[in-house]
Amino acid sequence: MQRYDDSEAAAVARYLLEMKYGLSMADMACGGVEQLDDNALTADVTRLLSGEPVQYVVGEAEFCGRRFIVRPGVLIPRPETEELCRWILSALNASPFLGKASILDIGTGSGCIAVTLAAEQPEASVSAWDISEQALAIARENADRLNVPVKFEKQDILHYSLPTGEGRGGAPDCGLSPFSLIVSNPPYVCRSEAAQMEPHVLEHEPHEALFVPDDDALLFYRVIARLGLQLLQPGGWLYFEINPLYANGLMSLMKEMGYADVETRQDQFGKTRMIRGRK
């Protein structure tokens, strides 16, 4: 079965040769490929032909100008998530209050959001949660590799219970200061949408990071938004990456829960992909 058309195959090959083997376009044109280890290259091509995403074969993906380790067990960072980070960074840079933010990234995966925000906002305090030990190990590698401080914790957000007692500002004492910004790119693809997805995503990327039940598409958003009301400082912001199909429903939900200034943004393809609201 042909996995790629000609243009896709050329792009995948170029990504592999540039990212893993360090060949420039000039190197490729001047016979650099012939100098590579045949066994290693053949093994990589075999993995690609099996449908494995090139980022897993390389072991890295680019995100906001940095290279992040990615392996099976974490989602491959997407361009639309970069746009979410840029939206957040624009707000952080514009606000003295948020510039020294306490940030929580829920469902961190590879750590691309948390690490990027920590790298770009060195005065911020950044924490990141995930249910997966495998994901957290990769996220820690990325933070260490890029030399940024992020506090990683294993948490199951669907079964998270706030500890009793109160912390600063009347917020529940969960061992952390109240947050001025919470961001999440949670699972948001319904199972009924799977038939429309690329095979390499379905066959290789972690389903627990992709899918929500068809009968509860807003499951993670509802749980996280409810938690945000308890963990966010007054005036703090909640940001989500979202499924465009449920943008209106999520906007209504956040407004009903009491979030103010709720607004959405489109991604580079004109799809409503991001939302934020203020406590």
Side-chain angles (χ1 to χ4, degrees), residues 116-138:
T116 296
L117 296 180
E120 295 291 335
Q121 295 289 324
E123 293 186 354
S125 171
V126 181
S127 299
W129 295 354
D130 205 287
I131 191 174
S132 167
E133 291 280 12
Q134 186 177 10
L136 287 168
I138 294 170

Side-chain angles (χ1 to χ4, degrees), residues 217-263:
L218 298 180
L219 171 63
F220 286 94
Y221 298 107
R222 185 175 61 255
V223 170
I224 293 168
R226 187 180 297 130
L227 184 62
L229 293 174
Q230 298 172 293
L231 291 185
L232 280 169
Q233 297 174 1
W237 287 91
L238 175 63
Y239 283 78
F240 286 122
E241 183 175 322
I242 65 176
N243 185 332
L245 294 174
Y246 304 105
N248 290 336
L250 180 54
M251 176 175 277
S252 296
L253 176 67
M254 290 177 67
K255 288 179 177 179
E256 289 168 5
M257 294 178 77
Y259 284 91
D261 301 323
V262 179
E263 64 174 312

Side-chain angles (χ1 to χ4, degrees), residues 186-201:
Y188 60 62
V189 181
C190 287
R191 291 282 178 180
S192 58
E193 299 177 72
Q196 305 165 33
M197 297 174 67
E198 294 290 340
H200 63 82
V201 175

Side-chain angles (χ1 to χ4, degrees), residues 12-278:
V12 167
R14 185 164 57 249
Y15 189 95
L16 175 69
L17 294 171
E18 287 179 354
M19 292 282 286
K20 186 166 185 177
Y21 294 99
L23 298 185
S24 66
M25 290 296 292
D27 294 329
M28 297 176 211
C30 295
V33 177
E34 285 74 14
Q35 307 302 315
L36 299 178
D37 183 315
D38 284 345
N39 291 332
L41 189 57
T42 298
D44 288 342
V45 171
T46 299
R47 291 173 67 184
L48 292 172
L49 291 176
S50 75
E52 189 171 353
V54 65
Q55 293 89 345
Y56 287 160
V57 176
V58 170
E60 292 182 337
E62 292 184 310
F63 186 86
C64 289
R66 296 176 176 86
R67 289 189 175 189
F68 284 79
I69 297 165
V70 291
R71 302 189 189 102
V74 297
L75 289 182
I76 296 164
R78 264 62 174 188
E80 49 266 38
T81 310
E82 293 190 35
E83 295 182 71
L84 174 64
C85 277
R86 285 194 286 270
W87 192 19
I88 293 170
L89 288 168
S90 177
L92 292 173
N93 289 327
S95 169
F97 165 70
L98 288 177
K100 298 181 180 180
S102 178
I103 299 170
L104 173 62
D105 174 23
I106 297 178
T108 195
S110 66
C112 61
I113 293 175
V115 171
T116 296
L117 296 180
E120 295 291 335
Q121 295 289 324
E123 293 186 354
S125 171
V126 181
S127 299
W129 295 354
D130 205 287
I131 191 174
S132 167
E133 291 280 12
Q134 186 177 10
L136 287 168
I138 294 170
R140 289 188 183 99
E141 280 189 68
N142 281 317
D144 291 345
R145 184 187 195 190
L146 294 167
N147 196 30
V148 295
V150 178
K151 181 179 181 181
F152 294 102
E153 293 184 30
K154 183 178 181 181
Q155 297 287 357
D156 179 355
I157 197 65
L158 295 183
H159 300 94
Y160 179 77
S161 297
L162 288 166
T164 57
E166 291 193 351
R168 290 188 300 162
D173 184 1
C174 56
L176 296 167
S177 299
F179 296 102
S180 50
L181 191 150
I182 295 175
V183 55
S184 183
N185 177 18
Y188 60 62
V189 181
C190 287
R191 291 282 178 180
S192 58
E193 299 177 72
Q196 305 165 33
M197 297 174 67
E198 294 290 340
H200 63 82
V201 175
L202 285 174
E203 294 169 7
H204 295 277
E205 297 197 55
H207 284 200
E208 65 271 17
L210 287 169
F211 291 111
V212 289
D214 284 2
D215 61 354
D216 197 1
L218 298 180
L219 171 63
F220 286 94
Y221 298 107
R222 185 175 61 255
V223 170
I224 293 168
R226 187 180 297 130
L227 184 62
L229 293 174
Q230 298 172 293
L231 291 185
L232 280 169
Q233 297 174 1
W237 287 91
L238 175 63
Y239 283 78
F240 286 122
E241 183 175 322
I242 65 176
N243 185 332
L245 294 174
Y246 304 105
N248 290 336
L250 180 54
M251 176 175 277
S252 296
L253 176 67
M254 290 177 67
K255 288 179 177 179
E256 289 168 5
M257 294 178 77
Y259 284 91
D261 301 323
V262 179
E263 64 174 312
T264 59
R265 278 205 176 181
Q266 295 181 337
D267 63 18
Q268 61 183 315
F269 305 109
K271 294 183 177 182
T272 303
R273 186 67 68 177
M274 296 158 273
I275 194 169
R276 73 175 182 179
R278 181 173 55 83

